[in-house]
Amino acid sequence: MTPAKHTQHAYIRDGAEIYRNSFAIIRNEADLSRFSGHAEKVAVRIVHATGMVEIAPEIVMSANFADAARSALLKGAPILCDAQMVAHGVTRKRLPAGNEVICTLSDPSVPTLAHEMDTTRSAAALELWRPKQEGAVVAIGNAPTALFRLLEMLEEDGAPKPAAIIGVPVGFVGAAESKEALAAYGQVPYLIVKGRKGGSAIAAAAVNALASEAE
Amino acid sequence: MTPAKHTQHAYIRDGAEIYRNSFAIIRNEADLSRFSGHAEKVAVRIVHATGMVEIAPEIVMSANFADAARSALLKGAPILCDAQMVAHGVTRKRLPAGNEVICTLSDPSVPTLAHEMDTTRSAAALELWRPKQEGAVVAIGNAPTALFRLLEMLEEDGAPKPAAIIGVPVGFVGAAESKEALAAYGQVPYLIVKGRKGGSAIAAAAVNALASEAE
């Protein structure tokens, strides 16, 4: 009698096989015909991160987004994240040039900056991005105020231009509007998920898809 | 002429007001009538984290989940997370007893353990939970294999029982099945999101809702 064996759950224990099967299911079920090349891989990973094939129609990338972001990463561009969850979702070993992954939200100067600027900590933290912002890949997965602030910096302050902006903040207040504003700005290659949906997992998934040819 | 002002985006810059407005929208739009007390706050924060009122019907909590998890946190229970993204989504200042937030996935012993156990690193990492597992709050937001492995440990190995299990892995291979298995096990208070949806943000949101009376 080996009762322990009988209670074992049947599930796949090989990480590579789980990825392969997941991506095959996604490509079978989701309509990704609008995307090709690396943009398609980005869309697949976003669906993967959310468990939702129904998110595919809400993904919008400017025509040059995937090439611009991938090219920047290959050249060693830093990745500027609005939240620690985004930064910790980026798989370091996929990065092509030991790229820096930066989140300034926890910097000790940020609460004072936010008070002085009369805004959220997430928005104020972008002041610390400036020295790294030129040619960077931006990944905003949490705070609409961070994306709005980035647009203000670009439109009004002549702040350095990132190579590409992953703008996928989530939520009920400002998220949809901030993403529409990014698309309307249009002067930096961008990725958005329309509407309220978004999040750190989507932002990190996009970076991970762009970082490597390997799936 | 102050053209800069004209291009400013109109958005709420007060974090507390953003939270209040978000939660009001959620309570207005989502059907949360199945939940009360802290369970309702958990459901609100899950909707908030995903931007999806339509996820509410997929949230299932055992009758004693919210009380058991909250009571454990008040007593100082550690929070055991399957992914760094979950651990980094837990707001430390909300925790009622300086609770430890633990993710063992990056422990240097895990790759060897995974090889020896012929399973994923996410599942193998749970071996390192054992000394902390009794009475802990478990938050699995990424890997179905971690949730399946936890159930094996509880059912077959006589592993220490957590006080509550937040079981919300995401994806296309094993996620739905692992959550069904957790609900079927039924011997530890649990929270699941049925089906493929889940994720680190949902797991962290549940912990954050349970951690404090304050919204």
Side-chain angles (χ1 to χ4, degrees), chain A residues 21-212:
Chain A
N21 290 5
S22 298
F23 291 171
I25 293 168
I26 292 164
R27 289 191 163 101
N28 185 49
E29 292 188 21
D31 180 2
L32 303 169
S33 55
R34 290 182 297 134
F35 305 109
S36 62
H38 247 89
E40 191 262 0
K41 292 182 177 182
V42 169
V44 166
R45 281 220 174 223
I46 289 174
V47 171
H48 179 251
T50 58
M52 298 171 59
V53 293
E54 62 269 35
I55 205 170
E58 295 161 27
I59 302 169
V60 178
M61 293 178 233
S62 63
N64 50 350
F65 166 77
D67 287 345
R70 178 142 175 78
S71 165
L73 291 175
L74 288 170
K75 285 189 288 190
I79 299 154
L80 302 177
C81 309
D82 71 324
Q84 295 291 353
M85 284 186 80
V86 178
H88 285 272
V90 173
T91 305
R92 298 305 193 275
K93 69 172 184 288
R94 291 181 64 84
L95 296 174
N99 310 246
E100 270 188 286
V101 181
I102 295 168
C103 175
T104 55
L105 184 59
S106 310
D107 188 276
S109 67
V110 167
T112 303
L113 263 177
H115 183 73
E116 288 170 1
M117 295 169 65
D118 196 18
T119 190
T120 64
R121 290 188 302 115
S122 292
L126 271 63
E127 289 305 309
L128 307 178
W129 285 9
R130 291 181 188 263
K132 303 276 189 179
Q133 199 165 289
E134 180 80 40
V137 172
V138 167
I140 294 177
N142 185 44
T145 56
L147 183 49
F148 274 128
R149 179 63 195 144
L150 178 62
L151 293 172
E152 287 174 353
M153 288 165 68
L154 293 170
E155 293 169 342
E156 299 165 21
D157 292 3
K161 274 196 187 171
I165 300 172
I166 297 162
V168 292
V170 61
F172 296 85
V173 174
E177 295 84 352
S178 68
K179 291 179 281 192
E180 283 166 22
L182 171 60
Y185 170 62
Q187 293 181 47
V188 173
Y190 67 88
L191 159 68
I192 63 170
V193 172
K194 288 187 289 184
R196 291 169 167 177
K197 293 192 200 77
S200 303
I202 292 176
V207 173
N208 290 336
L210 293 160
S212 173

Side-chain angles (χ1 to χ4, degrees), chain B:
Chain B
M1 288 221 308
T2 54
K5 290 293 174 194
H6 294 164
T7 65
Q8 283 233 347
H9 299 280
Y11 60 97
I12 305 175
R13 293 153 204 255
D14 174 349
E17 187 181 349
I18 293 168
Y19 267 101
R20 274 195 307 276
N21 290 5
S22 298
F23 291 171
I25 293 168
I26 292 164
R27 289 191 162 100
N28 184 49
E29 291 189 22
D31 180 2
L32 303 169
S33 55
R34 291 181 296 133
F35 305 110
S36 62
H38 247 88
E40 191 261 1
K41 292 182 177 183
V42 169
V44 166
R45 280 219 175 226
I46 289 174
V47 171
H48 179 251
T50 58
M52 297 171 61
V53 293
E54 61 271 34
I55 205 170
E58 295 161 27
I59 302 169
V60 178
M61 294 178 233
S62 64
N64 50 351
F65 166 77
D67 287 345
R70 177 140 176 79
S71 165
L73 291 176
L74 287 170
K75 285 189 287 190
I79 300 154
L80 302 177
C81 308
D82 72 324
Q84 295 292 353
M85 284 186 80
V86 178
H88 285 273
V90 173
T91 305
R92 298 304 193 276
K93 67 174 185 288
R94 292 182 64 83
L95 296 173
N99 311 246
E100 270 189 287
V101 181
I102 296 167
C103 175
T104 56
L105 184 58
S106 309
D107 189 276
S109 67
V110 167
T112 304
L113 263 177
H115 183 74
E116 288 170 2
M117 295 170 65
D118 197 17
T119 191
T120 64
R121 291 188 301 116
S122 292
L126 272 62
E127 289 304 309
L128 307 179
W129 286 8
R130 290 182 190 263
K132 302 277 189 179
Q133 199 165 290
E134 181 79 41
V137 172
V138 166
I140 294 176
N142 185 44
T145 56
L147 182 50
F148 273 128
R149 180 62 194 145
L150 178 61
L151 292 171
E152 287 173 353
M153 288 165 68
L154 293 170
E155 293 168 344
E156 299 164 22
D157 292 3
K161 273 196 188 172
I165 301 172
I166 298 162
V168 292
V170 60
F172 297 84
V173 175
E177 296 82 353
S178 68
K179 291 179 280 193
E180 284 166 21
L182 171 60
Y185 170 61
Q187 292 181 49
V188 173
Y190 66 89
L191 159 69
I192 63 170
V193 171
K194 289 187 289 184
R196 291 168 167 178
K197 293 192 201 78
S200 302
I202 293 176
V207 173
N208 289 335
L210 293 160
S212 173
E213 291 287 345
E215 295 211 298

